[in-house]
């Protein structure tokens, strides 16, 4: 297939910077997810790789060939849009065959490639149907099939599952992962859904306001976020963030959150030169233990304010002074709103961020 290298690419629309000095590489036969909220620059990035937008700065390479000046049809990429973009008056077979016929592919080859793609996508039984008579999942498969029949070097997916219901989304993200591995296709996949990215991607390019904020394997973005944006965007429920001041008192380094203090000896070597600085303590809900009895000197006293059964787990909101902490615990635990409990942070899973820069300290 073909690796893609995006080097220092910037794209402006008037005074708005849509993509800002973006650099990343999608390896041959790998799948990279561009992950970020609306206006992060994901779609613009895909459109520049496809040749539908021209970068103001930087270069784009496909298989080590500079493609900045190549037309979209000469780049050998296929873009699957958020909308299915199917021809309503053509059958599924005709929709799949269209890109091949537009390249004047011989009729027998068209038939063979369409049937092969339909078999891979499990839509052979609907080849004679019009799109309007197909389900949402079937229409999405047809849109993907139209890209597969061309056998391009690179597949680009622009939020392809947005219009599907929750059940179909789960089914189709597994299908896309399967297809990508089966076809050994270099794929760049844009999505605002962090779970989708975590499931599908070999590597994730987390983007915010046009900038690349972290590029790594999914586990690293989850376990070792490099900044507040990634820490908060990835994970559900999201990470708890607690504003703190680093203090030294009686020879001990403490995190003062106002409503409680926390012994920061765990961070001592990292924060010894940051005394009196403003930081943010981060802890994921699944790394908070809720108990009825105090277990450790660092345990924090609080009151349960909200309980959300989310089987097979339970999400608990614990109020500590004016601070609200969210924890995930077993549904087997019996708690009620108003219960007084002790909250314990799993030290090995604590994160610390600089409050001014948002960058990770630990």
């Amino acid at each position: 297939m073909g690796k893609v290298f995006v080097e220092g690419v910037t794209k402006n629309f008037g005074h708005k910077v849509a993509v800002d000095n973006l650099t990343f590489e999608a390896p041959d036969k790998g799948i990279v997810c561009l992950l970020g909220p609306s206006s992060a620059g994901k779609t613009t990035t895909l459109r520049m790789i496809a040749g539908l937008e021209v970068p103001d700065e930087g270069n784009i390479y496909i298989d080590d060939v500079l493609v900045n000046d190549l037309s979209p049809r000469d780049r050998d990429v296929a873009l699957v849009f958020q909308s299915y973009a199917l021809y309503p008056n053509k059958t599924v077979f005709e929709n799949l065959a269209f890109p091949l016929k537009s390249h004047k592919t011989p009729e027998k080859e068209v038939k063979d490639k369409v049937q092969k793609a339909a078999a891979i996508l499990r839509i052979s039984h609907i080849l004679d149907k019009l799109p309007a008579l197909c389900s949402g999942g079937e229409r999405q498969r047809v849109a993907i099939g139209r890209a597969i029949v061309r056998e391009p070097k690179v597949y680009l997916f622009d939020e392809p599952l947005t219009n599907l219901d929750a059940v179909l989304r789960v089914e189709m993200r597994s299908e896309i992962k399967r297809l990508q591995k089966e076809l050994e296709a270099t794929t760049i996949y844009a999505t605002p859904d962090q779970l989708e990215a975590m499931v599908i991607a070999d590597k994730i390019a987390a983007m915010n306001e046009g900038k690349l904020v972290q590029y790594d394997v999914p586990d690293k973005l989850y376990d070792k976020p490099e900044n507040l944006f990634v820490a908060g965007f990835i994970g559900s429920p999201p990470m708890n963030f607690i504003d703190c001041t680093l203090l030294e008192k009686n020879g001990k380094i403490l995190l003062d959150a106002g409503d409680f203090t926390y012994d920061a000896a765990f961070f001592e070597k990292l924060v010894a030169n940051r005394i009196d600085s403003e930081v943010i303590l981060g802890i994921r809900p699944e790394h908070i233990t809720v108990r009825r009895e105090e277990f450790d000197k660092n345990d924090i006293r609080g009151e349960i304010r909200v309980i959300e059964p989310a089987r097979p787990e339970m999400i608990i909101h614990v109020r500590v002074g004016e601070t609200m902490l969210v924890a995930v615990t077993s549904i087997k635990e019996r708690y009620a709103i108003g219960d007084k409990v002790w909250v314990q942070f799993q030290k090995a899973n604590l994160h610390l961020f600089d409050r001014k820069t948002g960058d990770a300290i630990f």
Side-chain angles (χ1 to χ4, degrees):
M1 302 301 284
K3 70 177 180 179
V4 177
F5 180 44
V6 176
E7 180 185 39
V9 166
T10 294
K11 180 64 180 179
N12 302 303
F13 293 106
H15 295 295
K16 179 176 173 54
V17 182
V19 176
D20 189 358
N21 193 29
L22 177 65
T23 297
F24 73 93
E25 181 176 296
D28 185 28
K29 300 179 183 179
I31 179 166
V32 170
C33 276
L34 306 181
L35 173 66
S38 177
S39 301
K42 307 183 300 295
T43 296
T44 302
T45 299
L46 291 185
R47 289 177 63 84
M48 286 191 288
I49 295 169
L52 302 177
E53 300 285 354
V54 179
D56 297 319
E57 298 176 21
N59 297 309
I60 297 172
Y61 298 87
I62 298 176
D63 260 355
D64 297 320
V65 175
L66 181 64
V67 298
N68 288 34
D69 297 326
L70 291 183
S71 68
R73 69 179 295 139
D74 293 329
R75 297 190 183 201
D76 200 13
V77 303
L79 177 58
V80 179
F81 295 95
Q82 179 177 329
S83 60
Y84 308 130
L86 302 178
Y87 295 103
N89 60 334
K90 295 180 183 295
T91 64
V92 168
F93 182 96
E94 291 168 333
N95 267 281
L96 293 173
F98 183 81
L100 296 172
K101 289 186 175 180
S102 65
H103 282 78
K104 297 183 170 31
T105 306
E107 198 65 35
K108 185 179 185 309
E109 188 177 342
V110 169
K111 185 176 181 181
D112 289 344
K113 286 189 173 183
V114 167
Q115 289 178 339
K116 179 182 176 183
I120 290 171
L121 289 160
R122 301 165 187 166
I123 53 173
S124 300
H125 61 293
I126 62 167
L127 288 176
D128 294 329
K129 283 187 177 182
L130 292 173
L133 300 177
C134 300
S135 68
E138 288 171 341
R139 289 197 295 272
Q140 186 61 73
R141 283 183 166 86
V142 177
I144 294 170
R146 209 162 50 177
I148 287 176
V149 294
R150 289 178 48 199
E151 299 178 350
K153 287 183 179 179
V154 179
Y155 293 88
L156 306 175
F157 289 85
D158 187 16
E159 301 186 22
L161 308 185
T162 298
N163 296 323
L164 301 181
D165 62 43
V167 174
L168 272 177
R169 284 175 74 98
V170 172
E171 179 184 330
M172 283 304 302
R173 73 184 182 215
S174 299
E175 279 293 289
I176 288 172
K177 182 75 171 180
R178 178 188 69 81
L179 280 170
Q180 191 272 329
K181 295 305 178 187
E182 185 174 322
L183 297 170
E184 296 187 321
T186 304
T187 302
I188 302 176
Y189 185 107
T191 178
D193 186 324
Q194 53 94 16
L195 180 57
E196 209 168 279
M198 295 289 285
V199 169
I200 289 174
D202 296 323
K203 295 187 81 173
I204 295 174
M207 298 179 67
N208 187 35
E209 297 180 345
K211 293 180 181 292
L212 181 69
V213 291
Q214 189 169 349
Y215 184 50
D216 217 322
V217 296
D219 285 351
K220 277 289 185 68
L221 269 76
Y222 189 85
D223 295 329
K224 295 292 182 182
E226 294 178 0
N227 49 69
L228 282 169
F229 173 80
V230 174
F233 196 78
I234 292 180
S236 180
M239 183 181 287
N240 293 281
F241 293 127
I242 307 157
D243 288 345
C244 298
T245 302
L246 274 167
L247 301 176
E248 186 171 5
K249 190 174 182 180
N250 299 327
K252 290 185 177 181
I253 295 178
L254 303 174
L255 286 165
D256 184 358
D259 295 314
F260 62 89
T261 58
Y262 193 84
D263 188 339
F266 188 77
F267 298 120
E268 189 166 356
K269 291 181 181 179
L270 291 166
V271 301
N273 63 339
R274 293 175 178 266
I275 300 303
D276 296 326
S277 63
E278 304 299 308
V279 297
I280 294 175
L281 181 66
I283 181 74
R284 294 198 182 280
E286 60 269 33
H287 298 146
I288 294 179
T289 303
V290 178
R291 291 189 173 94
R292 295 190 183 278
E293 304 295 333
E294 185 178 12
F295 184 80
D296 183 89
K297 65 179 181 179
N298 255 338
D299 287 2
I300 302 161
R301 189 67 162 163
E303 178 186 337
I304 294 178
R305 300 305 297 269
V306 178
I307 296 175
E308 301 177 50
R311 298 179 187 278
E313 298 169 324
M314 180 166 57
I315 300 170
I316 298 177
H317 299 243
V318 181
R319 185 167 183 171
V320 180
E322 296 303 313
T323 302
M324 191 69 76
L325 300 174
V326 179
V328 174
T329 188
S330 170
I331 196 75
K332 296 178 182 179
E333 299 293 337
R334 298 298 179 186
Y335 292 111
I337 293 173
D339 283 356
K340 300 294 192 295
V341 293
W342 292 91
V343 171
Q344 183 184 69
F345 299 155
Q346 296 176 19
K347 293 180 181 179
N349 299 111
L350 288 172
H351 302 266
L352 203 62
F353 303 91
D354 186 300
R355 204 188 304 184
K356 290 182 179 178
T357 66
D359 293 335
I361 300 170
F362 178 84

